[in-house]
Amino acid sequence: MSVKFALMALMDTHPMYGAQLRAEFEERTGGTWPLNVGQVYTTLGRLERDGLVESSGIPDDEGRIPYQLTDHGRTVLHHWWDTPVDRQDTPRDELVIKLALAVTLPGVDVSALVQQQRTATLRHLQDLTRLKRADATTAPPDQSTPTYDLSWHLVLDHLIFADEAEIRWLDHVESTLARAATHRQTTSTAAPYAPAPSRPLSAPFLAPRATSDRSPR
């Protein structure tokens, strides 16, 4: 996940210790993806093991030793900046998994599930929209807005777009379920279908081979 690269990007500015990395990460992303110090130090341990970071060896006034990028770590980080995010590795989405299972298992009211999720997502979208509106009214009219505010607004916009896309997808799920239900009703009330005579399993499914006209000698 990008947490390790985010920590590496922060250490590329200057050496930092674990709690400082955590605070910087959360401030720059608006606290959207909170980290705990244990997770940060676990990640730092892996980065140090892989030769991407190293201890600076110089403790601060409170005895905390910051970490800094190695030359190899800086090369890896620059490669990350230059490489698009890979969308081939699809992350697991709990809602998608939930609905995929719901339509295949008995006893689940899929329509109610969709309605409940749409209500929750709409509520979350409204909260985000109010938050963005409040930020817009308090932002200074000039260009003195801190860079951290810009990063938070980018994150906030992403969350809003994601909620809007999820609502559109839930609408699509609902219409798909309605069409499937109509199709089942039509199929069940239609005249019985007389299937064609079945072919033996040994019969080829492709066109038969061409046979020779000549009779064996």
Side-chain angles (χ1 to χ4, degrees), residues 98-182:
K98 189 177 184 180
L99 282 172
L101 292 174
V103 298
T104 62
L105 295 175
V108 181
D109 189 340
V110 186
S111 296
L113 192 157
V114 171
Q115 290 289 349
Q116 292 169 359
Q117 186 63 49
R118 183 191 286 106
T119 300
T121 305
L122 278 170
R123 187 180 302 114
H124 187 243
L125 176 59
Q126 291 166 356
D127 291 341
L128 293 174
T129 304
R130 280 194 293 268
L131 182 58
K132 182 176 182 179
R133 191 179 301 118
D135 283 355
T137 57
T138 57
D142 56 20
Q143 299 299 317
S144 62
T145 303
T147 304
Y148 287 3
D149 288 348
L150 176 59
S151 67
W152 162 233
H153 284 125
L154 292 176
V155 172
L156 185 58
D157 285 340
H158 170 76
L159 296 174
I160 290 174
F161 294 155
D163 276 358
E164 291 173 343
E166 183 169 288
I167 291 168
R168 289 197 300 273
W169 179 68
L170 289 170
D171 290 342
H172 169 74
V173 170
E174 194 169 48
S175 62
T176 301
L177 291 173
R179 287 196 301 271
T182 301

Side-chain angles (χ1 to χ4, degrees), residues 28-63:
R28 292 168 189 263
T29 58
T32 304
W33 301 284
L35 299 176
N36 60 64
V37 174
Q39 180 182 1
V40 172
Y41 276 107
T42 298
T43 304
L44 284 173
R46 295 195 186 102
L47 292 173
E48 187 175 26
R49 177 201 63 194
D50 296 338
L52 301 174
V53 304
E54 62 186 359
S55 167
S56 68
I58 305 174
D60 63 6
D61 296 338
E62 299 181 18

